Amino acid sequence: MKVLTRYILREFFRPFWVALGGFSLIFLIVQVFNDIHLLLEFHPGPWLTLKYFFFHIPGFVSQMVPIACLAGVLFSMGGLARGNELIAMRSGGVDIYRIVGPLTLAGAILCLSSLVLSEWIVPRAEQEKHHTVWVEISKHPEDGTLSKRSDFSMAGAGGGVYHIGSFDGATRTMRDFLILDFDGNGNLVSRLDGRQAVYQDGQWVMEDGYHRTFDGSGNETLTERIDRAVLPIPEKPADLLLEQKDPHQLNLLALAAYLKQLERNGADRHKELVIFYQKLATPFGCVVMMLLGIPWGWNARKYTGILAGFGISALVAFLYIGGMQIGEHLGETGSIPPVLGAWGADFLFGSLGLFLMVRKNR
């Protein structure tokens, strides 16, 4: 490794580690205040409290790596600019891309490291965090079995699709449900709307419902009111109480399989798709922040040093994370494609960084 490369990387990683620890600590403190009601209600004790918040750290670190990259670039490039070292390098015939090459390489390495962190460590930490708060602190059953569910969809064993407003496992009662049956070509054949069904003697007994049938063109051919009838579905109450998977606790491969399962069930997948794409977009933010921070750091003489560098990093962090959250919300609601909701902030900030980089080298 050449002397210039080692020097630039050393100047970058010093503020990078400080910023990564500092921003992660700030987010951890905010999380403590958000969960203070949990501590006051259950009084978990020092060990469980530390254990619970400890498992938040990998998630915070994975989110803060791109912002730490920006801070590292601003401080390192700013220091070189204020010391006239950048002018000396350019006067010696060193191209701007030769100067920023080590930083771009560092961003790529940190991108891959962040991806590894989010794939292997963060999902495990999320599972442990859930177990700690659900079982050890809140004292729920070890298997995490739900007693109630609401607003969910699933594929029936008989080939139909169920949309259920609510289900109470204690009373074995589901309410406001809809059962759809399709033919081999995916055309809707029948629709059963029910107000309530109770599981009795090994079968579901429905009260107050409507049954509709359709032809191959989707036109309704028959509507029949049903006061009481046995539903021809094989599922038992336990089948309806299977806990839904938290996509944050899955890696990319497991989440991809879960998405296929949701697609087969006919369930809405917008939220899971956004999270899937975010697992790739967030690590790539390291490269984006490098591209954005290099031209800003080059002009660091215009600013006031440490305070300005921290202020710019905090402002960009606010805008970047806010942009990702807005995109996440729009993607989950279907207002925009999920891939755009997850990658939109990276695209906007990355385009701005490339524009400033090319402009600086002219």
Side-chain angles (χ1 to χ4, degrees), residues 251-306:
N251 58 29
L252 283 171
L253 292 178
L255 185 53
Y258 184 48
L259 285 168
K260 290 182 180 180
Q261 177 186 336
L262 292 176
E263 184 178 15
R264 289 194 300 268
N265 292 355
D268 181 82
R269 304 186 303 157
H270 285 90
K271 177 180 179 180
E272 289 76 12
L273 279 170
V274 171
I275 294 175
F276 177 84
Y277 291 124
Q278 279 183 338
K279 286 180 176 289
L280 297 171
T282 300
F284 189 77
C286 298
V287 177
V288 171
M289 290 297 108
M290 286 289 194
L291 294 176
L292 190 63
I294 288 171
W296 279 357
W298 202 285
N299 296 320
R301 284 198 246 184
K302 299 179 181 180
Y303 310 118
T304 58
I306 295 178

Side-chain angles (χ1 to χ4, degrees), residues 52-294:
Y52 171 63
F53 288 111
F54 173 78
F55 287 120
H56 282 80
I57 295 177
F60 290 150
V61 170
S62 67
Q63 295 177 19
M64 289 299 104
V65 170
I67 306 304
C69 286
L70 175 65
V73 169
L74 288 178
F75 283 110
S76 60
M77 294 292 291
L80 295 175
R82 285 188 295 272
N84 295 320
E85 292 173 271
L86 291 178
I87 294 178
M89 294 176 192
R90 294 301 299 274
S91 300
V94 179
D95 188 83
I96 183 175
Y97 297 114
R98 174 67 183 85
I99 299 174
V100 303
L103 295 176
T104 306
L105 175 62
I109 294 174
L110 289 171
C111 174
L112 294 176
S113 301
S114 180
L115 181 60
V116 171
L117 176 67
S118 64
E119 275 292 281
W120 279 277
I121 299 178
V122 173
R124 180 61 179 172
E126 290 292 326
Q127 294 171 13
E128 292 294 335
K129 180 179 70 176
H130 174 76
H131 182 272
T132 301
V133 69
W134 183 258
V135 177
E136 299 183 55
I137 295 179
S138 303
K139 306 301 181 184
H140 287 90
E142 176 73 25
D143 60 3
T145 300
L146 300 173
S147 61
K148 294 182 180 180
R149 289 183 67 183
S150 60
D151 296 325
F152 64 97
S153 303
M154 61 180 294
V161 176
Y162 310 154
H163 301 282
I164 301 174
S166 65
F167 176 70
D168 188 338
T171 60
R172 297 183 169 189
T173 302
M174 61 177 174
R175 294 182 174 86
D176 301 322
F177 58 90
L178 170 66
I179 300 177
L180 304 175
D181 285 317
F182 301 88
D183 61 19
N185 297 321
N187 299 315
L188 181 64
V189 175
S190 67
R191 165 175 172 161
L192 180 63
D193 297 79
R195 182 183 62 83
Q196 176 176 296
V198 181
Y199 193 74
Q200 301 173 347
D201 301 325
Q203 57 187 6
W204 291 97
V205 180
M206 181 189 72
E207 297 178 355
D208 190 11
Y210 286 89
H211 181 253
R212 298 177 173 87
T213 58
F214 302 85
D215 59 21
S217 301
N219 300 313
E220 186 175 321
T221 58
L222 177 66
T223 301
E224 179 184 10
R225 177 179 174 82
I226 302 175
D227 294 324
R228 184 181 177 87
V230 175
L231 296 180
I233 59 176
E235 281 73 21
K236 299 178 181 179
D239 297 325
L240 305 184
L241 286 175
L242 294 177
E243 186 175 6
Q244 292 174 295
K245 297 180 180 179
D246 183 352
H248 293 286
Q249 300 179 13
L250 306 175
N251 58 29
L252 283 171
L253 292 178
L255 185 53
Y258 184 48
L259 285 168
K260 290 182 180 180
Q261 177 186 336
L262 292 176
E263 184 178 15
R264 289 194 300 268
N265 292 355
D268 181 82
R269 304 186 303 157
H270 285 90
K271 177 180 179 180
E272 289 76 12
L273 279 170
V274 171
I275 294 175
F276 177 84
Y277 291 124
Q278 279 183 338
K279 286 180 176 289
L280 297 171
T282 300
F284 189 77
C286 298
V287 177
V288 171
M289 290 297 108
M290 286 289 194
L291 294 176
L292 190 63
I294 288 171

Side-chain angles (χ1 to χ4, degrees), residues 23-84:
F23 282 117
S24 299
L25 180 60
I26 291 174
F27 270 69
L28 184 60
I29 293 174
V30 172
Q31 187 66 46
V32 170
F33 282 100
N34 286 340
D35 290 340
I36 194 68
H37 67 281
L38 183 70
L39 306 180
L40 295 177
E41 180 180 356
F42 294 101
H43 304 285
W47 164 245
L48 279 181
T49 300
L50 290 174
K51 181 181 178 182
Y52 171 63
F53 288 111
F54 173 78
F55 287 120
H56 282 80
I57 295 177
F60 290 150
V61 170
S62 67
Q63 295 177 19
M64 289 299 104
V65 170
I67 306 304
C69 286
L70 175 65
V73 169
L74 288 178
F75 283 110
S76 60
M77 294 292 291
L80 295 175
R82 285 188 295 272
N84 295 320

